Amino acid sequence: MKRRHFIKLAGASPLILLAPGCAKKKVAQSATVGGGAPQANVVSSGSTARVLVLIELKGGNDGLNTVIPYRDQEYDRLRPQLGIKQDRILTLSDDVGLHPSMDSLMTSWKARDMAIIQGVGYESPNRSHFKSIEIWETALSDDDSSEDGWLVDQLEGHIRTDQDTDAIAVGQQELGPLRGSMRTLTLEDPTRMAQVSRRLGRISERASANDSLAHILRVQSNLLGATERIEDRLQTVPPLKHAYPKGEFGQHMEMATKLIVSELPVMVLKVTLGGFDTHAGQAGKQARLLGQLSAALSAMRANLIAHGAWEKTLVMTYSEFGRRPAQNGSKGTDHGTAAPQLVWGGGVRGGLYGRAPSLTNLANQDLIHHVDFRQVYATIMRDWWGLPARGALGSHKPLDFLKG
Amino acid sequence: MSMQDARHFLARTGFAPSMFEIEQLAERTPRERIEQALVNVRTTPSTAPPAFEGGSLMQRQRTLRKESDLEPMEKRSKKRALRRSARKGMMELAYWWYDEMIRTPSPLTERLVFFWHNHFTTSAQKVRDPGFMLDQNLLLRQHAAGDFKALLHGISRDPAMLLYLDGQSNVKRKPNENFARELLELFTLGEGEGYTEEDIREAARAFTGWRVNPKTGAFEFFERKHDAGQKTFLGQTGAFTGQDILDILLTRPRLSEHIAERLWKEFVGSEPDPKEIVRLGRVFRKADYDLKPLLLELFTSKGFLDESLHGGQIKSPVELIVGTHRLFNVPISNPKRVVVSGRELGQAPFYPPTVKGWEGGTSWITTDTLYRRQQLMHRIFRVEENLPEVRAQGASALLGEGNHTPAQARQQIQALLLPVDPVHLPDTDGDLIEFIYSLALDPAYQLK
């Protein structure tokens, strides 16, 4: 029996095109974007609609052991135990190589659809999980507080109005870059949703005495109705040929792949991989996580290529911060600063970008970034969706890791 | 039965009651319960509010404007910095109030303060100054279950209110009717109840000159801008000031009934019997607008005690968040998230959406907000570090020490969490946390 993956939809029944409360903001925004009405079909038109898949590496991934400057003697000095042995490192260039657990990514690297942006960070780095991830999610510095995700800000007014959903967060998680008036849907625990949907039928008589309860049940029923529409669409996807690693992340990546293959017109998908806060015993933990990431990514890539959807997909990792170059006393590393970002997709110009951060010229014993993460965001706006970057994002110089 | 009554009383007048609180009240009569709760009402917060130093936003903006030796670029950036600092202050203030609501020994106090906040609506969206918003909150707090006359007089001189309803621009020869209109329509008599447009205009004239002094940031009666002429208001004539208008309003029976109606809608929720409202109005007037006797009558009335009302209202976002945090002692690792969650559910303290306040009732639940409520529950109950006591002690963390079989314990927890039977029968055999989680996701958990 096929397990049905039930989905919970936020703010959309066929009659409600926008989530409550965002209509007002939309009007204000369109006034600032070069005049004119929101262009409803600029970014998405039919099955060629481009998708961005965000993979949040939760906890602060140790970038220095991910993209390793294997020739730098400082590396061995800073990480006598934690350093990866040179003969295990997967060579990418004369200067850097990948963590050995990421060997499934070498196919993508050789096919030149994988780009690594080195030394990404921001000024006055914040080493608090909450504050730093907020900065990444809102693309605003600490002082300016906004709660809306950067994608919501940037994509407002460019969203299709003939679909239920703009973005999907796979697995219960924080919406982060999608927080705000975007219609975001979350894939939930299938068993629980199945229970709910089965029992909903039996309930209606009971509610009649209690108007409040009746109202809630009516709304719940709408919610499920909308999700079933997406569920039906997913049913049209044949089983994917390339297998995903076991575990939740693999399942979520499989779901994300199916969503793309089903040609559901969403613009953004978000998946989370947690466990990167490796203050102690980092070696095994990070190896397992990077292994999962790579295997899942590689399966997604192979499946999307097989279904002709790789060209329209862009995948990007991000993490709240990198970690300290020097290992600590518990065979781990503490919160740091700059780290590499990995990007894959049919539209990617593969290779290395930015610069590996210096291991001698440090600030407070931490790596100094060369690329501001907002440059990466700006590149996506300009070259992936062909949209002008709004607000402060527009002042960051894009890179050229996308073919455009 | 009396347990459920006590639970109903506490849930309606506070946030999610604990088993301990319910047991304390279960054997008392309804009158004893409300008397106890009223005795405990505070007039000052139990936690220290944030301090906003450096003068009001108004004063600092004024000082900045007068600084002539600043480059325009610099001035603009300083202006932005002032606004940013005000926004940050509002976030701090909002978090402080959530924290107060979660920690307070008197939930009834907070429910009443919030009620008055929703009655004498003022939004930081316009006022912007966290210091003014805090002062208003402290004013509401001072009289929440006290002297309504003092509350009414106080709120009409309150700087935040003056800014919100344009008291500043209400001057002789160019009166601004905003405050006068809302005073009659929303704060005292109710829409269409015994006043005319003419009355609004005359009242506005009476309030001219009532403003916030831009140099001191305090209320002042600016005589020069006050229209000292004769006004006719609700049939009376005189050289009225704002104070006189309020005193005249306080002679109208309709005012006491309007307040009684609003309190009924908040705490009872059903359509009030008009005769009951008249009776409550009389009690209020007889007590010379002391709120305690009115509240006593309200919470011992047949309407409130009617069993069929149990679970008949929907928890507001603030009630849902505060109640869940209180009952399960959920640690707050990210204060900002709490505030943002409330906002996402449709309620940001200090930011009522319009001068009519939050509508409440079924308007709290849309596909979007219902989904977000469930997501919030998921976040709270699924995070490892939350519910430490329940994880460590099991059912007795919620029920207290006692002999219950696992099945009895679950039944009791269900009765504790929900005002009515759950819609989806939970799995009683599994893990306790899973059981609680499924109750929290149940539609019945959204009710009070």
Coordinates of all heavy atoms in Angstrom, one line a residue, chain B residues 331-372:
Chain B
P331 N 10.1 26.6 28.0 CA 11.2 27.6 28.1 C 11.2 28.5 26.8 O 10.9 28.0 25.7 CB 12.5 26.8 28.2 CG 12.1 25.5 27.6 CD 10.6 25.3 27.8
I332 N 11.5 29.7 27.0 CA 11.6 30.6 25.8 C 13.0 30.9 25.4 O 13.7 31.6 26.1 CB 10.8 31.9 26.1 CG1 9.4 31.6 26.4 CG2 11.0 32.9 24.9 CD1 8.6 32.8 26.7
S333 N 13.5 30.2 24.4 CA 14.8 30.4 24.0 C 15.0 31.6 23.0 O 16.0 32.2 22.9 CB 15.4 29.2 23.3 OG 14.4 28.7 22.3
N334 N 13.9 31.9 22.3 CA 14.0 33.0 21.3 C 12.8 33.9 21.5 O 11.8 33.7 20.9 CB 14.1 32.5 19.9 CG 14.4 33.6 18.9 OD1 14.3 34.8 19.2 ND2 14.6 33.2 17.7
P335 N 12.9 35.0 22.3 CA 11.8 35.9 22.6 C 11.1 36.4 21.4 O 9.9 36.5 21.3 CB 12.4 37.0 23.5 CG 13.6 36.5 24.0 CD 14.1 35.4 23.0
K336 N 12.0 36.7 20.4 CA 11.4 37.3 19.2 C 10.4 36.4 18.5 O 9.4 36.8 18.0 CB 12.5 37.7 18.3 CG 12.2 38.8 17.2 CD 13.4 39.3 16.6 CE 13.0 40.1 15.3 NZ 14.1 40.6 14.6
R337 N 10.8 35.1 18.5 CA 9.9 34.1 17.9 C 8.5 34.1 18.5 O 7.5 33.9 17.8 CB 10.5 32.7 18.0 CG 11.5 32.4 17.0 CD 10.9 32.2 15.6 NE 11.6 32.9 14.6 CZ 12.6 32.4 13.9 NH1 13.1 31.3 14.1 NH2 13.1 33.2 12.9
V338 N 8.4 34.3 19.8 CA 7.1 34.3 20.5 C 6.3 35.4 19.9 O 5.1 35.3 19.5 CB 7.3 34.5 22.0 CG1 5.9 34.6 22.6 CG2 8.0 33.3 22.6
V339 N 6.9 36.6 19.8 CA 6.2 37.8 19.3 C 5.8 37.6 17.9 O 4.6 37.9 17.5 CB 7.1 39.0 19.5 CG1 6.4 40.2 18.9 CG2 7.4 39.3 20.9
V340 N 6.7 37.1 17.1 CA 6.4 36.9 15.7 C 5.3 35.8 15.5 O 4.4 36.0 14.6 CB 7.7 36.5 14.9 CG1 7.4 36.1 13.5 CG2 8.7 37.7 14.9
S341 N 5.3 34.8 16.3 CA 4.3 33.7 16.2 C 2.9 34.3 16.4 O 2.0 34.1 15.7 CB 4.5 32.7 17.3 OG 5.7 32.0 17.1
G342 N 2.8 35.2 17.4 CA 1.5 35.8 17.7 C 1.1 36.6 16.5 O -0.1 36.6 16.1
R343 N 2.0 37.4 15.9 CA 1.7 38.2 14.8 C 1.2 37.3 13.6 O 0.3 37.7 12.9 CB 2.9 39.0 14.4 CG 2.7 40.0 13.3 CD 3.9 40.8 13.0 NE 4.6 41.3 14.2 CZ 5.7 41.9 14.2 NH1 6.3 42.1 13.1 NH2 6.3 42.3 15.3
E344 N 1.9 36.2 13.4 CA 1.5 35.3 12.3 C 0.1 34.8 12.5 O -0.5 34.4 11.5 CB 2.5 34.2 12.2 CG 3.8 34.7 11.6 CD 4.8 33.5 11.4 OE1 4.7 32.5 12.1 OE2 5.7 33.7 10.5
L345 N -0.3 34.6 13.8 CA -1.6 34.1 14.0 C -2.6 35.2 14.0 O -3.8 34.9 14.2 CB -1.6 33.4 15.4 CG -0.8 32.2 15.6 CD1 -1.0 31.5 16.9 CD2 -1.0 31.2 14.5
G346 N -2.2 36.4 13.8 CA -3.1 37.5 13.6 C -3.3 38.5 14.8 O -4.2 39.3 14.8
Q347 N -2.4 38.4 15.8 CA -2.5 39.3 16.9 C -1.1 39.8 17.4 O -0.3 39.0 17.9 CB -3.2 38.6 18.0 CG -3.6 39.6 19.2 CD -4.5 38.9 20.2 OE1 -4.3 37.8 20.6 NE2 -5.6 39.6 20.6
A348 N -0.8 41.0 17.2 CA 0.4 41.6 17.7 C 0.1 42.6 18.8 O -0.5 43.6 18.5 CB 1.2 42.3 16.6
P349 N 0.4 42.3 20.1 CA 0.1 43.2 21.1 C 0.6 44.6 20.8 O 1.7 44.7 20.3 CB 0.7 42.6 22.4 CG 0.8 41.2 22.1 CD 1.0 41.1 20.6
F350 N -0.1 45.6 21.1 CA 0.3 47.0 20.8 C 0.0 47.4 19.4 O 0.2 48.6 19.0 CB 1.7 47.4 21.2 CG 2.1 47.2 22.6 CD1 2.9 46.1 23.0 CD2 1.5 48.0 23.6 CE1 3.2 45.9 24.4 CE2 1.8 47.8 24.9 CZ 2.7 46.7 25.3
Y351 N -0.5 46.5 18.6 CA -0.8 46.8 17.2 C -2.2 46.3 16.8 O -2.3 45.5 15.9 CB 0.3 46.1 16.2 CG 1.6 46.7 16.4 CD1 2.5 46.2 17.3 CD2 2.1 47.8 15.5 CE1 3.8 46.7 17.4 CE2 3.4 48.3 15.7 CZ 4.2 47.8 16.6 OH 5.5 48.2 16.7
P352 N -3.2 46.8 17.4 CA -4.6 46.4 17.0 C -4.7 46.8 15.5 O -4.3 47.9 15.2 CB -5.5 47.2 17.9 CG -4.7 48.2 18.6 CD -3.3 47.8 18.5
P353 N -5.4 46.0 14.7 CA -5.4 46.3 13.3 C -6.2 47.6 12.9 O -5.9 48.2 12.0 CB -6.1 45.1 12.7 CG -6.8 44.4 13.9 CD -6.1 44.8 15.1
T354 N -7.2 47.9 13.7 CA -8.0 49.1 13.4 C -8.4 49.7 14.8 O -8.3 49.0 15.8 CB -9.3 48.9 12.6 OG1 -10.2 48.2 13.4 CG2 -9.0 48.2 11.3
V355 N -9.0 50.8 14.8 CA -9.5 51.4 16.0 C -10.6 50.6 16.7 O -10.9 50.7 17.9 CB -9.9 52.9 15.8 CG1 -11.2 53.0 15.0 CG2 -10.0 53.6 17.1
K356 N -11.2 49.7 15.9 CA -12.2 48.8 16.5 C -11.6 47.7 17.2 O -12.3 46.9 17.9 CB -13.1 48.3 15.4 CG -14.2 49.2 15.0 CD -15.2 48.6 14.0 CE -16.6 48.4 14.5 NZ -17.6 48.6 13.5
G357 N -10.3 47.5 17.1 CA -9.6 46.4 17.8 C -9.7 45.1 17.1 O -10.0 45.1 15.9
W358 N -9.3 44.1 17.8 CA -9.3 42.7 17.2 C -10.7 42.2 17.3 O -11.3 42.2 18.4 CB -8.4 41.8 18.0 CG -6.9 42.1 17.7 CD1 -6.2 41.7 16.6 CD2 -6.0 42.8 18.6 NE1 -4.9 42.2 16.8 CE2 -4.8 42.8 18.0 CE3 -6.2 43.4 19.9 CZ2 -3.7 43.4 18.6 CZ3 -5.1 44.0 20.4 CH2 -3.8 44.0 19.8
E359 N -11.3 41.7 16.2 CA -12.7 41.3 16.2 C -12.9 40.0 17.1 O -13.9 39.9 17.7 CB -13.1 41.0 14.8 CG -14.6 41.1 14.7 CD -15.0 40.6 13.3 OE1 -14.4 41.1 12.3 OE2 -15.9 39.7 13.2
G360 N -11.9 39.2 17.0 CA -12.0 37.9 17.8 C -13.0 36.9 17.3 O -13.4 37.0 16.1
G361 N -13.4 36.0 18.1 CA -14.4 35.0 17.8 C -13.9 34.1 16.6 O -12.7 33.8 16.5
T362 N -14.8 33.8 15.7 CA -14.4 32.9 14.6 C -13.4 33.6 13.6 O -12.8 32.9 12.8 CB -15.6 32.4 13.8 OG1 -16.3 33.6 13.4 CG2 -16.5 31.5 14.7
S363 N -13.3 34.9 13.7 CA -12.3 35.5 12.8 C -10.9 35.1 13.1 O -10.0 35.3 12.2 CB -12.5 37.0 12.9 OG -11.8 37.5 14.1
W364 N -10.6 34.5 14.2 CA -9.3 34.1 14.5 C -8.8 32.9 13.6 O -7.7 32.6 13.5 CB -9.1 33.6 16.0 CG -9.1 34.7 17.0 CD1 -9.9 34.7 18.1 CD2 -8.3 35.9 17.0 NE1 -9.6 35.9 18.8 CE2 -8.7 36.6 18.2 CE3 -7.3 36.4 16.2 CZ2 -8.1 37.8 18.5 CZ3 -6.7 37.6 16.5 CH2 -7.1 38.3 17.7
I365 N -9.8 32.2 13.1 CA -9.5 30.9 12.4 C -9.8 31.0 10.9 O -10.9 31.2 10.5 CB -10.3 29.7 13.0 CG1 -10.1 29.6 14.5 CG2 -10.0 28.4 12.2 CD1 -8.8 29.0 14.9
T366 N -8.7 31.0 10.1 CA -8.8 30.9 8.7 C -7.9 29.7 8.3 O -7.2 29.2 9.1 CB -8.3 32.2 8.0 OG1 -6.9 32.2 8.3 CG2 -9.0 33.4 8.5
T367 N -7.9 29.3 7.0 CA -7.1 28.2 6.6 C -5.6 28.5 7.0 O -4.9 27.7 7.5 CB -7.1 27.9 5.1 OG1 -6.9 29.2 4.4 CG2 -8.4 27.3 4.7
D368 N -5.3 29.8 6.8 CA -3.9 30.2 7.1 C -3.6 30.1 8.6 O -2.6 29.5 9.0 CB -3.7 31.6 6.6 CG -2.2 32.0 6.6 OD1 -1.4 31.1 6.3 OD2 -1.9 33.2 6.9
T369 N -4.4 30.7 9.4 CA -4.1 30.8 10.8 C -4.3 29.5 11.5 O -3.6 29.1 12.4 CB -5.0 31.9 11.6 OG1 -6.4 31.6 11.4 CG2 -4.7 33.2 11.0
L370 N -5.2 28.6 11.0 CA -5.4 27.3 11.7 C -4.2 26.5 11.4 O -3.7 25.8 12.3 CB -6.7 26.6 11.1 CG -6.9 25.2 11.7 CD1 -7.1 25.3 13.2 CD2 -8.1 24.6 11.0
Y371 N -3.7 26.6 10.2 CA -2.5 25.9 9.9 C -1.3 26.3 10.7 O -0.6 25.5 11.3 CB -2.2 26.1 8.4 CG -0.8 25.7 8.0 CD1 -0.4 24.4 7.8 CD2 0.1 26.7 7.8 CE1 0.9 24.1 7.4 CE2 1.4 26.4 7.4 CZ 1.8 25.1 7.2 OH 3.1 24.8 6.9
R372 N -1.2 27.6 10.9 CA -0.1 28.2 11.7 C -0.2 27.8 13.1 O 0.8 27.6 13.8 CB -0.1 29.7 11.5 CG 0.4 30.1 10.1 CD 0.6 31.6 10.1 NE 0.5 32.2 8.8 CZ 1.5 32.5 8.0 NH1 2.7 32.2 8.4 NH2 1.3 33.1 6.8

